[in-house]
Amino acid sequence: MLGVVAVSIVHHFSEDPSIVRFEPHVPRTNPNQQPAVWAIDSEHAPLYWFPRDCPRVTVWPRDLHEHVEFRRRLATSALRLHVIETTWLDRVRATQLYRYDFDASDFARWPEASGQWTSHEVVEPVAVTAMGNLVDAHRKARIELRLVPNLWPLVELVKDGQWDFSCVRLVNAVPPDIETRSSG
């Protein structure tokens, strides 16, 4: 099929290196979901190169037309843009994250979000790998990692654009009604 990429491995990211089996559960951030084990394909895996609770906005174009608008409106030459609040940088630098790899045949695509996969059965990883320096992982992948004092202006911009995006853990972000001004 044209445009369909075969996926053989999917991933899960955790700060815990000792998980030997993953059991379906209802995400606390999405209590209306059926119990599942959640995974992400390799193309979208960088969405999870952060400490678990780190609020972030990630955005990327899906085609050349979107890329032109993406570069213009987000003022970047990168292929992807990941944005965190400045107060999270030290935690991103200090976090040791582990990538769990799973056989994709144990999962089904979850159509509600790009790159997401679910399993309703207990699954065991085929490999566990320490990610190392997460800032360096972004650099090596040529993903712009941008720091801002407040994510909310960017949330509105990416939701209004012609590209794919993900906004994660915004409940942990600086509230949208708090202005960040320089004192001086």
Side-chain angles (χ1 to χ4, degrees):
M1 230 183 207
L2 186 62
V4 175
V5 176
V7 174
S8 60
I9 298 289
V10 293
H11 315 284
H12 180 88
F13 294 87
S14 177
E15 294 169 47
D16 180 352
S18 63
I19 306 170
V20 295
R21 51 187 273 142
F22 286 73
E23 298 191 18
H25 70 283
V26 175
R28 70 180 155 87
T29 56
N30 200 346
N32 296 326
Q33 291 298 322
Q34 292 182 2
V37 176
W38 301 84
I40 188 85
D41 64 29
S42 294
E43 178 185 352
H44 296 87
L47 299 173
Y48 293 94
W49 293 354
F50 299 92
R52 179 177 179 79
D53 291 327
C54 180
R56 58 207 179 258
V57 173
T58 58
V59 57
W60 61 97
R62 293 168 288 212
D63 59 36
L64 185 58
H65 173 74
E66 289 180 5
H67 188 71
V68 170
E69 187 70 3
F70 171 83
R71 289 183 72 155
R72 185 183 72 75
R73 290 195 57 203
L74 296 168
T76 185
S77 61
L79 297 176
R80 293 177 73 106
L81 175 64
H82 291 183
V83 185
I84 62 171
E85 291 175 338
T86 309
T87 56
W88 279 87
L89 180 58
D90 289 341
R91 282 177 268 189
V92 169
R93 285 183 174 148
T95 296
Q96 179 55 263
L97 201 62
Y98 298 88
R99 186 189 73 217
Y100 287 83
D101 297 340
F102 299 97
D103 183 334
S105 67
D106 294 332
F107 289 78
R109 287 185 191 272
W110 188 55
E112 294 181 39
S114 297
Q116 300 283 336
W117 294 69
T118 60
S119 174
H120 298 287
E121 305 296 327
V122 172
V123 292
E124 295 181 2
V126 296
V128 181
T129 307
M131 289 288 299
N133 181 311
L134 298 175
V135 174
D136 198 40
H138 279 82
R139 181 189 60 77
K140 287 178 182 175
R142 298 174 52 202
I143 297 170
E144 180 179 343
L145 180 59
R146 189 179 292 178
L147 303 174
V148 296
N150 188 304
L151 288 174
W152 292 100
L154 191 59
V155 169
E156 298 309 316
L157 176 64
V158 301
K159 285 182 177 179
D160 189 41
Q162 301 174 12
W163 40 61
D164 210 347
F165 69 92
S166 175
C167 299
V168 177
R169 301 283 194 256
L170 294 179
V171 69
N172 298 332
V174 171
D177 57 345
I178 293 182
E179 291 186 49
T180 53
R181 298 181 185 171
S182 307
S183 58

mmCIF file of all heavy atoms in Angstrom, residues 82-119:
data_model
loop_
_atom_site.group_PDB
_atom_site.id
_atom_site.type_symbol
_atom_site.label_atom_id
_atom_site.label_comp_id
_atom_site.label_asym_id
_atom_site.label_seq_id
_atom_site.Cartn_x
_atom_site.Cartn_y
_atom_site.Cartn_z
ATOM 1 N N HIS A 82 10.309 20.804 19.338
ATOM 2 C CA HIS A 82 9.841 20.402 20.660
ATOM 3 C C HIS A 82 10.078 21.572 21.597
ATOM 4 O O HIS A 82 11.173 22.143 21.612
ATOM 5 C CB HIS A 82 10.611 19.180 21.168
ATOM 6 C CG HIS A 82 10.308 17.935 20.410
ATOM 7 N ND1 HIS A 82 10.848 16.717 20.755
ATOM 8 C CD2 HIS A 82 9.510 17.691 19.333
ATOM 9 C CE1 HIS A 82 10.396 15.785 19.930
ATOM 10 N NE2 HIS A 82 9.594 16.358 19.054
ATOM 11 N N VAL A 83 9.062 21.920 22.369
ATOM 12 C CA VAL A 83 9.149 23.102 23.224
ATOM 13 C C VAL A 83 8.785 22.722 24.654
ATOM 14 O O VAL A 83 7.768 22.055 24.893
ATOM 15 C CB VAL A 83 8.204 24.217 22.714
ATOM 16 C CG1 VAL A 83 8.381 25.483 23.530
ATOM 17 C CG2 VAL A 83 8.440 24.489 21.227
ATOM 18 N N ILE A 84 9.636 23.162 25.585
ATOM 19 C CA ILE A 84 9.377 22.973 27.017
ATOM 20 C C ILE A 84 9.533 24.313 27.718
ATOM 21 O O ILE A 84 10.137 25.245 27.172
ATOM 22 C CB ILE A 84 10.336 21.934 27.651
ATOM 23 C CG1 ILE A 84 11.793 22.390 27.554
ATOM 24 C CG2 ILE A 84 10.135 20.564 27.018
ATOM 25 C CD1 ILE A 84 12.776 21.536 28.349
ATOM 26 N N GLU A 85 8.992 24.374 28.913
ATOM 27 C CA GLU A 85 9.187 25.583 29.711
ATOM 28 C C GLU A 85 10.590 25.579 30.309
ATOM 29 O O GLU A 85 11.123 24.530 30.679
ATOM 30 C CB GLU A 85 8.123 25.660 30.805
ATOM 31 C CG GLU A 85 6.754 25.909 30.205
ATOM 32 C CD GLU A 85 5.621 25.889 31.201
ATOM 33 O OE1 GLU A 85 5.766 25.300 32.282
ATOM 34 O OE2 GLU A 85 4.570 26.472 30.887
ATOM 35 N N THR A 86 11.164 26.758 30.399
ATOM 36 C CA THR A 86 12.528 26.935 30.883
ATOM 37 C C THR A 86 12.753 26.242 32.221
ATOM 38 O O THR A 86 13.814 25.653 32.451
ATOM 39 C CB THR A 86 12.834 28.440 31.007
ATOM 40 O OG1 THR A 86 12.488 29.077 29.770
ATOM 41 C CG2 THR A 86 14.292 28.689 31.308
ATOM 42 N N THR A 87 11.755 26.249 33.084
ATOM 43 C CA THR A 87 11.910 25.657 34.417
ATOM 44 C C THR A 87 12.104 24.142 34.381
ATOM 45 O O THR A 87 12.500 23.549 35.374
ATOM 46 C CB THR A 87 10.692 25.983 35.301
ATOM 47 O OG1 THR A 87 9.506 25.524 34.642
ATOM 48 C CG2 THR A 87 10.592 27.476 35.565
ATOM 49 N N TRP A 88 11.868 23.501 33.240
ATOM 50 C CA TRP A 88 12.015 22.047 33.120
ATOM 51 C C TRP A 88 13.367 21.619 32.561
ATOM 52 O O TRP A 88 13.684 20.421 32.544
ATOM 53 C CB TRP A 88 10.889 21.481 32.251
ATOM 54 C CG TRP A 88 9.626 21.307 33.029
ATOM 55 C CD1 TRP A 88 8.653 22.246 33.245
ATOM 56 C CD2 TRP A 88 9.227 20.146 33.733
ATOM 57 N NE1 TRP A 88 7.668 21.719 34.022
ATOM 58 C CE2 TRP A 88 7.999 20.418 34.339
ATOM 59 C CE3 TRP A 88 9.774 18.875 33.900
ATOM 60 C CZ2 TRP A 88 7.310 19.485 35.108
ATOM 61 C CZ3 TRP A 88 9.092 17.948 34.661
ATOM 62 C CH2 TRP A 88 7.873 18.264 35.256
ATOM 63 N N LEU A 89 14.175 22.546 32.113
ATOM 64 C CA LEU A 89 15.431 22.169 31.461
ATOM 65 C C LEU A 89 16.338 21.341 32.367
ATOM 66 O O LEU A 89 16.873 20.317 31.934
ATOM 67 C CB LEU A 89 16.185 23.403 30.959
ATOM 68 C CG LEU A 89 17.516 23.091 30.264
ATOM 69 C CD1 LEU A 89 17.326 22.171 29.066
ATOM 70 C CD2 LEU A 89 18.217 24.381 29.867
ATOM 71 N N ASP A 90 16.513 21.738 33.614
ATOM 72 C CA ASP A 90 17.390 20.966 34.510
ATOM 73 C C ASP A 90 16.884 19.542 34.704
ATOM 74 O O ASP A 90 17.671 18.602 34.755
ATOM 75 C CB ASP A 90 17.549 21.661 35.861
ATOM 76 C CG ASP A 90 18.396 22.926 35.767
ATOM 77 O OD1 ASP A 90 19.151 23.069 34.774
ATOM 78 O OD2 ASP A 90 18.297 23.782 36.672
ATOM 79 N N ARG A 91 15.561 19.377 34.799
ATOM 80 C CA ARG A 91 15.009 18.026 34.942
ATOM 81 C C ARG A 91 15.192 17.200 33.680
ATOM 82 O O ARG A 91 15.465 16.002 33.752
ATOM 83 C CB ARG A 91 13.541 18.087 35.347
ATOM 84 C CG ARG A 91 13.391 18.395 36.845
ATOM 85 C CD ARG A 91 11.958 18.525 37.225
ATOM 86 N NE ARG A 91 11.641 19.955 37.100
ATOM 87 C CZ ARG A 91 10.528 20.516 37.506
ATOM 88 N NH1 ARG A 91 9.587 19.793 38.047
ATOM 89 N NH2 ARG A 91 10.337 21.801 37.375
ATOM 90 N N VAL A 92 15.061 17.825 32.526
ATOM 91 C CA VAL A 92 15.304 17.106 31.263
ATOM 92 C C VAL A 92 16.758 16.651 31.214
ATOM 93 O O VAL A 92 17.053 15.508 30.868
ATOM 94 C CB VAL A 92 14.945 17.975 30.041
ATOM 95 C CG1 VAL A 92 15.444 17.360 28.741
ATOM 96 C CG2 VAL A 92 13.436 18.215 29.973
ATOM 97 N N ARG A 93 17.671 17.545 31.595
ATOM 98 C CA ARG A 93 19.098 17.195 31.588
ATOM 99 C C ARG A 93 19.424 16.072 32.574
ATOM 100 O O ARG A 93 20.290 15.247 32.314
ATOM 101 C CB ARG A 93 19.933 18.415 31.937
ATOM 102 C CG ARG A 93 20.054 19.412 30.827
ATOM 103 C CD ARG A 93 20.964 20.543 31.247
ATOM 104 N NE ARG A 93 21.216 21.446 30.158
ATOM 105 C CZ ARG A 93 21.426 22.737 30.317
ATOM 106 N NH1 ARG A 93 21.437 23.277 31.524
ATOM 107 N NH2 ARG A 93 21.664 23.504 29.273
ATOM 108 N N ALA A 94 18.748 16.037 33.723
ATOM 109 C CA ALA A 94 19.082 15.081 34.786
ATOM 110 C C ALA A 94 18.372 13.735 34.645
ATOM 111 O O ALA A 94 18.781 12.756 35.268
ATOM 112 C CB ALA A 94 18.735 15.689 36.146
ATOM 113 N N THR A 95 17.345 13.664 33.836
ATOM 114 C CA THR A 95 16.538 12.443 33.740
ATOM 115 C C THR A 95 17.238 11.362 32.932
ATOM 116 O O THR A 95 17.731 11.612 31.834
ATOM 117 C CB THR A 95 15.174 12.756 33.101
ATOM 118 O OG1 THR A 95 14.467 13.639 33.976
ATOM 119 C CG2 THR A 95 14.354 11.499 32.877
ATOM 120 N N GLN A 96 17.259 10.154 33.491
ATOM 121 C CA GLN A 96 17.706 8.979 32.732
ATOM 122 C C GLN A 96 16.443 8.252 32.292
ATOM 123 O O GLN A 96 15.653 7.792 33.113
ATOM 124 C CB GLN A 96 18.578 8.054 33.574
ATOM 125 C CG GLN A 96 19.043 6.816 32.825
ATOM 126 C CD GLN A 96 19.763 7.112 31.517
ATOM 127 O OE1 GLN A 96 19.162 7.067 30.443
ATOM 128 N NE2 GLN A 96 21.030 7.418 31.594
ATOM 129 N N LEU A 97 16.246 8.215 31.004
ATOM 130 C CA LEU A 97 15.061 7.608 30.426
ATOM 131 C C LEU A 97 15.458 6.296 29.763
ATOM 132 O O LEU A 97 16.562 6.160 29.236
ATOM 133 C CB LEU A 97 14.490 8.569 29.378
ATOM 134 C CG LEU A 97 13.040 8.428 28.978
ATOM 135 C CD1 LEU A 97 12.121 8.657 30.175
ATOM 136 C CD2 LEU A 97 12.706 9.432 27.883
ATOM 137 N N TYR A 98 14.551 5.328 29.801
ATOM 138 C CA TYR A 98 14.794 4.019 29.201
ATOM 139 C C TYR A 98 13.758 3.771 28.114
ATOM 140 O O TYR A 98 12.560 4.009 28.314
ATOM 141 C CB TYR A 98 14.730 2.921 30.260
ATOM 142 C CG TYR A 98 15.806 3.122 31.294
ATOM 143 C CD1 TYR A 98 15.586 3.926 32.404
ATOM 144 C CD2 TYR A 98 17.066 2.555 31.125
ATOM 145 C CE1 TYR A 98 16.583 4.157 33.332
ATOM 146 C CE2 TYR A 98 18.070 2.776 32.049
ATOM 147 C CZ TYR A 98 17.825 3.575 33.154
ATOM 148 O OH TYR A 98 18.829 3.807 34.053
ATOM 149 N N ARG A 99 14.243 3.301 26.978
ATOM 150 C CA ARG A 99 13.354 2.945 25.866
ATOM 151 C C ARG A 99 13.115 1.442 25.910
ATOM 152 O O ARG A 99 14.046 0.645 25.844
ATOM 153 C CB ARG A 99 13.995 3.316 24.528
ATOM 154 C CG ARG A 99 13.047 3.089 23.345
ATOM 155 C CD ARG A 99 13.738 3.238 22.019
ATOM 156 N NE ARG A 99 14.596 2.064 21.819
ATOM 157 C CZ ARG A 99 15.779 2.101 21.242
ATOM 158 N NH1 ARG A 99 16.283 3.234 20.814
ATOM 159 N NH2 ARG A 99 16.492 0.995 21.110
ATOM 160 N N TYR A 100 11.850 1.080 26.046
ATOM 161 C CA TYR A 100 11.429 -0.322 25.990
ATOM 162 C C TYR A 100 10.957 -0.597 24.570
ATOM 163 O O TYR A 100 10.133 0.140 24.030
ATOM 164 C CB TYR A 100 10.291 -0.579 26.975
ATOM 165 C CG TYR A 100 10.734 -0.601 28.415
ATOM 166 C CD1 TYR A 100 10.894 0.569 29.141
ATOM 167 C CD2 TYR A 100 11.003 -1.807 29.049
ATOM 168 C CE1 TYR A 100 11.311 0.542 30.468
ATOM 169 C CE2 TYR A 100 11.412 -1.854 30.373
ATOM 170 C CZ TYR A 100 11.570 -0.674 31.075
ATOM 171 O OH TYR A 100 11.987 -0.711 32.382
ATOM 172 N N ASP A 101 11.477 -1.654 23.969
ATOM 173 C CA ASP A 101 11.070 -2.046 22.615
ATOM 174 C C ASP A 101 10.151 -3.259 22.702
ATOM 175 O O ASP A 101 10.399 -4.182 23.482
ATOM 176 C CB ASP A 101 12.291 -2.408 21.772
ATOM 177 C CG ASP A 101 13.235 -1.237 21.571
ATOM 178 O OD1 ASP A 101 12.802 -0.079 21.742
ATOM 179 O OD2 ASP A 101 14.409 -1.489 21.234
ATOM 180 N N PHE A 102 9.103 -3.248 21.875
ATOM 181 C CA PHE A 102 8.132 -4.336 21.816
ATOM 182 C C PHE A 102 7.950 -4.778 20.372
ATOM 183 O O PHE A 102 8.072 -3.976 19.446
ATOM 184 C CB PHE A 102 6.757 -3.884 22.328
ATOM 185 C CG PHE A 102 6.743 -3.432 23.747
ATOM 186 C CD1 PHE A 102 6.831 -2.077 24.057
ATOM 187 C CD2 PHE A 102 6.645 -4.344 24.779
ATOM 188 C CE1 PHE A 102 6.810 -1.657 25.371
ATOM 189 C CE2 PHE A 102 6.634 -3.923 26.094
ATOM 190 C CZ PHE A 102 6.718 -2.575 26.391
ATOM 191 N N ASP A 103 7.580 -6.011 20.197
ATOM 192 C CA ASP A 103 7.194 -6.524 18.889
ATOM 193 C C ASP A 103 5.857 -5.877 18.525
ATOM 194 O O ASP A 103 4.871 -6.008 19.263
ATOM 195 C CB ASP A 103 7.056 -8.048 18.967
ATOM 196 C CG ASP A 103 6.727 -8.679 17.640
ATOM 197 O OD1 ASP A 103 6.125 -8.012 16.765
ATOM 198 O OD2 ASP A 103 7.061 -9.860 17.474
ATOM 199 N N ALA A 104 5.822 -5.170 17.417
ATOM 200 C CA ALA A 104 4.614 -4.442 17.017
ATOM 201 C C ALA A 104 3.435 -5.363 16.726
ATOM 202 O O ALA A 104 2.283 -4.926 16.786
ATOM 203 C CB ALA A 104 4.904 -3.565 15.808
ATOM 204 N N SER A 105 3.702 -6.634 16.446
ATOM 205 C CA SER A 105 2.593 -7.549 16.152
ATOM 206 C C SER A 105 1.708 -7.784 17.377
ATOM 207 O O SER A 105 0.589 -8.272 17.239
ATOM 208 C CB SER A 105 3.118 -8.875 15.600
ATOM 209 O OG SER A 105 3.849 -9.576 16.591
ATOM 210 N N ASP A 106 2.194 -7.413 18.566
ATOM 211 C CA ASP A 106 1.388 -7.532 19.783
ATOM 212 C C ASP A 106 0.487 -6.314 20.000
ATOM 213 O O ASP A 106 -0.248 -6.254 20.990
ATOM 214 C CB ASP A 106 2.297 -7.701 21.007
ATOM 215 C CG ASP A 106 3.056 -9.012 20.987
ATOM 216 O OD1 ASP A 106 2.553 -9.991 20.400
ATOM 217 O OD2 ASP A 106 4.162 -9.055 21.573
ATOM 218 N N PHE A 107 0.575 -5.333 19.099
ATOM 219 C CA PHE A 107 -0.138 -4.060 19.253
ATOM 220 C C PHE A 107 -0.979 -3.766 18.019
ATOM 221 O O PHE A 107 -0.731 -4.303 16.946
ATOM 222 C CB PHE A 107 0.869 -2.915 19.440
ATOM 223 C CG PHE A 107 1.566 -2.930 20.773
ATOM 224 C CD1 PHE A 107 2.619 -3.808 21.008
ATOM 225 C CD2 PHE A 107 1.175 -2.082 21.786
ATOM 226 C CE1 PHE A 107 3.264 -3.834 22.225
ATOM 227 C CE2 PHE A 107 1.818 -2.098 23.010
ATOM 228 C CZ PHE A 107 2.865 -2.972 23.234
ATOM 229 N N ALA A 108 -1.940 -2.867 18.188
ATOM 230 C CA ALA A 108 -2.745 -2.372 17.068
ATOM 231 C C ALA A 108 -2.634 -0.848 17.047
ATOM 232 O O ALA A 108 -2.523 -0.213 18.103
ATOM 233 C CB ALA A 108 -4.207 -2.782 17.245
ATOM 234 N N ARG A 109 -2.677 -0.269 15.849
ATOM 235 C CA ARG A 109 -2.645 1.197 15.752
ATOM 236 C C ARG A 109 -3.831 1.773 16.518
ATOM 237 O O ARG A 109 -4.938 1.268 16.442
ATOM 238 C CB ARG A 109 -2.748 1.647 14.296
ATOM 239 C CG ARG A 109 -1.506 1.413 13.504
ATOM 240 C CD ARG A 109 -1.679 2.019 12.100
ATOM 241 N NE ARG A 109 -0.618 1.593 11.238
ATOM 242 C CZ ARG A 109 0.552 2.223 11.113
ATOM 243 N NH1 ARG A 109 0.782 3.304 11.815
ATOM 244 N NH2 ARG A 109 1.466 1.755 10.299
ATOM 245 N N TRP A 110 -3.551 2.865 17.226
ATOM 246 C CA TRP A 110 -4.609 3.607 17.904
ATOM 247 C C TRP A 110 -4.878 4.829 17.040
ATOM 248 O O TRP A 110 -4.044 5.745 16.969
ATOM 249 C CB TRP A 110 -4.176 3.987 19.317
ATOM 250 C CG TRP A 110 -5.253 4.585 20.151
ATOM 251 C CD1 TRP A 110 -6.479 4.053 20.416
ATOM 252 C CD2 TRP A 110 -5.213 5.835 20.849
ATOM 253 N NE1 TRP A 110 -7.205 4.882 21.235
ATOM 254 C CE2 TRP A 110 -6.438 5.995 21.516
ATOM 255 C CE3 TRP A 110 -4.263 6.830 20.969
ATOM 256 C CZ2 TRP A 110 -6.744 7.102 22.292
ATOM 257 C CZ3 TRP A 110 -4.556 7.941 21.751
ATOM 258 C CH2 TRP A 110 -5.785 8.074 22.407
ATOM 259 N N PRO A 111 -6.000 4.875 16.337
ATOM 260 C CA PRO A 111 -6.219 5.912 15.328
ATOM 261 C C PRO A 111 -6.438 7.322 15.874
ATOM 262 O O PRO A 111 -6.424 8.279 15.109
ATOM 263 C CB PRO A 111 -7.465 5.409 14.583
ATOM 264 C CG PRO A 111 -8.172 4.554 15.563
ATOM 265 C CD PRO A 111 -7.102 3.925 16.420
ATOM 266 N N GLU A 112 -6.592 7.462 17.175
ATOM 267 C CA GLU A 112 -6.888 8.776 17.736
ATOM 268 C C GLU A 112 -5.667 9.684 17.869
ATOM 269 O O GLU A 112 -5.820 10.875 18.144
ATOM 270 C CB GLU A 112 -7.576 8.620 19.088
ATOM 271 C CG GLU A 112 -8.944 7.973 18.959
ATOM 272 C CD GLU A 112 -9.653 7.828 20.283
ATOM 273 O OE1 GLU A 112 -9.568 8.739 21.120
ATOM 274 O OE2 GLU A 112 -10.287 6.780 20.475
ATOM 275 N N ALA A 113 -4.455 9.137 17.697
ATOM 276 C CA ALA A 113 -3.252 9.965 17.806
ATOM 277 C C ALA A 113 -2.149 9.400 16.922
ATOM 278 O O ALA A 113 -1.972 8.188 16.835
ATOM 279 C CB ALA A 113 -2.785 10.031 19.267
ATOM 280 N N SER A 114 -1.414 10.276 16.290
ATOM 281 C CA SER A 114 -0.353 9.877 15.366
ATOM 282 C C SER A 114 0.703 9.023 16.060
ATOM 283 O O SER A 114 1.236 9.403 17.096
ATOM 284 C CB SER A 114 0.336 11.118 14.787
ATOM 285 O OG SER A 114 -0.569 11.877 14.039
ATOM 286 N N GLY A 115 0.970 7.870 15.474
ATOM 287 C CA GLY A 115 2.049 7.020 15.951
ATOM 288 C C GLY A 115 1.763 6.185 17.175
ATOM 289 O O GLY A 115 2.626 5.446 17.637
ATOM 290 N N GLN A 116 0.568 6.282 17.731
ATOM 291 C CA GLN A 116 0.228 5.580 18.972
ATOM 292 C C GLN A 116 -0.267 4.164 18.667
ATOM 293 O O GLN A 116 -1.003 3.951 17.695
ATOM 294 C CB GLN A 116 -0.863 6.331 19.734
ATOM 295 C CG GLN A 116 -0.482 7.732 20.129
ATOM 296 C CD GLN A 116 0.434 7.774 21.318
ATOM 297 O OE1 GLN A 116 0.475 6.867 22.129
ATOM 298 N NE2 GLN A 116 1.189 8.849 21.436
ATOM 299 N N TRP A 117 0.110 3.236 19.525
ATOM 300 C CA TRP A 117 -0.285 1.835 19.410
ATOM 301 C C TRP A 117 -0.754 1.353 20.776
ATOM 302 O O TRP A 117 -0.293 1.858 21.807
ATOM 303 C CB TRP A 117 0.904 0.994 18.953
ATOM 304 C CG TRP A 117 1.373 1.311 17.575
ATOM 305 C CD1 TRP A 117 1.995 2.463 17.153
ATOM 306 C CD2 TRP A 117 1.257 0.484 16.427
ATOM 307 N NE1 TRP A 117 2.269 2.387 15.824
ATOM 308 C CE2 TRP A 117 1.835 1.183 15.345
ATOM 309 C CE3 TRP A 117 0.737 -0.787 16.217
ATOM 310 C CZ2 TRP A 117 1.895 0.660 14.068
ATOM 311 C CZ3 TRP A 117 0.808 -1.314 14.937
ATOM 312 C CH2 TRP A 117 1.375 -0.598 13.884
ATOM 313 N N THR A 118 -1.664 0.380 20.781
ATOM 314 C CA THR A 118 -2.142 -0.173 22.052
ATOM 315 C C THR A 118 -2.207 -1.694 21.988
ATOM 316 O O THR A 118 -2.367 -2.284 20.916
ATOM 317 C CB THR A 118 -3.551 0.344 22.416
ATOM 318 O OG1 THR A 118 -4.471 -0.037 21.390
ATOM 319 C CG2 THR A 118 -3.564 1.845 22.625
ATOM 320 N N SER A 119 -2.081 -2.289 23.162
ATOM 321 C CA SER A 119 -2.305 -3.723 23.326
ATOM 322 C C SER A 119 -3.224 -3.891 24.523
ATOM 323 O O SER A 119 -3.075 -3.187 25.527
ATOM 324 C CB SER A 119 -0.983 -4.464 23.576
ATOM 325 O OG SER A 119 -1.255 -5.826 23.856
#
